[in-house]
Amino acid sequence: MRLLSAAVALVVLTGAAAVSPAPVAAAPMGSDFYAAPVADLEAYAPGSILRREPVPALDLLGSHAERILYRSADPRDSAVAVSGLLITPRSTWDGPGPRPVIAYAPGSYGIADRCAGSSGQGLTTTMPALMPLLARGYQVVTTDYQGLGTPGAYEFIGRVAVARAVLDAARAAADGTDAPVVLYGYSAGGAASAAAAELASTYAPDLDVVGAYVGAAPTDPVLRVEGLEGSPFAATMLYPIVGSMGAHPDRADEIRGLFNDRGRAALDTVQNFCTVDALSYGSLRSEDLTADGSTLGELMAGPVLGPLTAANTIGLMAPDVPVMIVQGVNDRSVSIEQSRILADRWLAAGAHDITVREFDFGTDLVPAFDHPGANVAAYPEVIGWIDARVEQTSRATR
């Protein structure tokens, strides 16, 4: 069902990017939904829905919204439960074959459990971006990522962890059918979409992934932290370090030893941050936080953090699905070089279907809008690109 024009979609996203409204009033979320253990978790297949509850307040555009808990696997292949949202239009899909699935990878709201995308705080940003996709009749599934809201460590931009969370969410939505799947993400979600595109053929060969939208993705961890030095969101450059300590508890003391007292205090503080909390923390220079005065970028290329950084660098394995990369050239949150290097790396690795779209607005936008600006501007093209991937697959199966 094609109910929303590209112009209206643009208005919806502009509103979502330009304002920060009060959180959407969703159904009450008991901690048991996220935290209650699942018996025999290992016995479930990846993507199996373990727990679900309706969220009537999110039944937008005639859809049915549910909060779900599904089975995934962490980078060490242990079963983990991951939360998210599953939103299905109630109208009958009028295209051929099963209803297409958009596996939506949210951007970063922070690394504390309360920042999970299916929580009240996360819904503020997530829902407006989903509405144009739902209006076109697509089923949308989102992930909160492993350990964000649920027990366990949240490995911020951990390549394997975020990719598996996205792909298993897609499995939960596709429910064993051959529904075409489009991976979708912007900012940190763009990195998750890119990682999922790389791993789809090996981790989830049962899925019919027909494309991946990758917007303003911080796919190189070193470039990401270097771009945040001294910025209002500088505290967020510590997120990958906190994630690495959580994912590798046996090395946590060694990693903490790279920082001085101020740096260790900052690591302890930011693990309870949602992204807006970073603004109140103030501007930082990482060399003021490290034991030997090195920058965080230098540490991440060094002997302790270097192997972890390399494992979480995206772009060294070619995706075998079409990819659309989008970014604004004046983006001050994620450097345009991130998207350019990603495209170059993928092409060098043998990728054959990479579309790159850069937006130059002629000048820097206002700070609150510079990062999401390209996502807003690109949305009509992105919707058209997604439609084309789905329609191409539908023609091939007729």
Side-chain angles (χ1 to χ4, degrees):
M1 301 291 288
R2 308 290 172 80
L3 304 178
L4 197 64
S5 69
V8 175
L10 186 62
V11 170
V12 170
L13 282 194
T14 302
V19 299
S20 297
V24 177
M29 295 174 289
S31 60
D32 285 351
F33 183 86
Y34 292 93
V38 177
D40 298 322
L41 181 58
E42 292 281 358
Y44 290 88
S48 298
I49 295 180
L50 311 168
R51 194 174 293 152
R52 63 203 309 162
E53 65 180 16
V55 191
L58 302 183
D59 288 350
L60 307 173
L61 302 175
S63 63
H64 173 61
E66 300 174 280
R67 187 172 290 111
I68 62 172
L69 193 73
Y70 63 93
R71 197 265 205 200
S72 190
D74 70 15
R76 291 154 294 283
D77 295 324
S78 295
V80 291
V82 182
S83 53
L85 294 172
L86 178 62
I87 309 176
T88 308
R90 295 183 188 273
S91 58
T92 301
W93 169 247
D94 61 6
R99 186 188 301 274
V101 170
I102 307 295
Y104 182 88
S108 174
Y109 309 124
I111 59 174
D113 282 345
R114 62 190 169 88
C115 318
S118 68
S119 69
Q121 189 154 325
L123 292 170
T124 300
T125 302
T126 300
M127 289 311 299
L130 304 187
M131 289 172 63
L133 298 165
L134 294 169
R136 301 185 86 75
Y138 298 143
Q139 184 182 45
V140 178
V141 64
T142 75
T143 180
D144 292 339
Y145 304 115
Q146 298 180 13
L148 188 57
T150 49
Y154 171 43
E155 191 177 357
F156 179 74
I157 318 185
R159 176 177 174 267
V160 174
V162 298
R164 291 182 172 185
V166 172
L167 293 168
D168 285 325
R171 280 172 162 151
D175 194 24
T177 71
D178 59 353
V181 173
V182 176
L183 311 173
Y184 185 112
Y186 195 84
S187 193
S193 178
E198 289 188 347
L199 298 186
S201 63
T202 54
Y203 179 71
D206 50 298
L207 288 176
D208 184 16
V209 179
V210 301
Y213 167 57
V214 175
T219 53
D220 187 299
V222 173
L223 289 179
R224 179 188 180 274
V225 300
E226 289 177 344
L228 288 168
E229 290 278 4
S231 75
F233 287 98
T236 67
M237 66 183 167
L238 295 174
Y239 285 0
I241 309 303
V242 173
S244 292
M245 291 192 297
H248 304 278
D250 56 317
R251 302 191 62 189
D253 288 343
E254 182 183 18
I255 294 172
R256 287 178 65 87
L258 299 172
F259 295 84
N260 58 27
D261 288 345
R262 183 185 176 191
R264 289 189 289 271
L267 289 170
D268 292 339
T269 299
V270 302
Q271 66 182 314
N272 296 311
F273 273 11
C274 290
T275 299
V276 293
D277 297 321
L279 287 170
S280 63
Y281 198 80
S283 178
L284 293 172
R285 302 295 306 185
S286 64
E287 58 264 32
D288 296 329
L289 307 178
T290 61
D292 63 359
S294 297
T295 66
L296 189 53
E298 290 169 341
L299 288 185
M300 291 178 71
V304 175
L305 294 174
L308 303 180
T309 301
N312 290 324
T313 298
I314 302 166
L316 306 181
M317 175 188 296
D320 60 2
V321 300
V323 178
M324 184 178 191
I325 298 174
V326 166
Q327 190 164 4
V329 298
N330 296 312
D331 191 330
R332 284 176 282 172
S333 296
V334 178
S335 166
I336 184 62
E337 293 306 315
Q338 290 266 26
S339 288
R340 292 172 178 171
I341 290 172
L342 176 64
D344 288 344
R345 284 175 172 169
W346 270 344
L347 290 171
H352 300 292
D353 194 344
I354 307 294
T355 300
V356 179
R357 185 73 168 91
E358 293 186 359
F359 287 82
D360 187 348
F361 303 106
T363 183
D364 286 354
L365 300 174
V366 294
F369 198 74
D370 68 336
H371 183 53
N375 196 28
V376 174
Y379 208 83
E381 290 185 45
V382 173
I383 286 287
W385 185 84
I386 291 172
D387 289 344
R389 303 286 76 72
V390 169
E391 291 168 5
Q392 184 178 44
T393 300
S394 298
R395 286 196 301 270
T397 57
R398 286 174 188 167

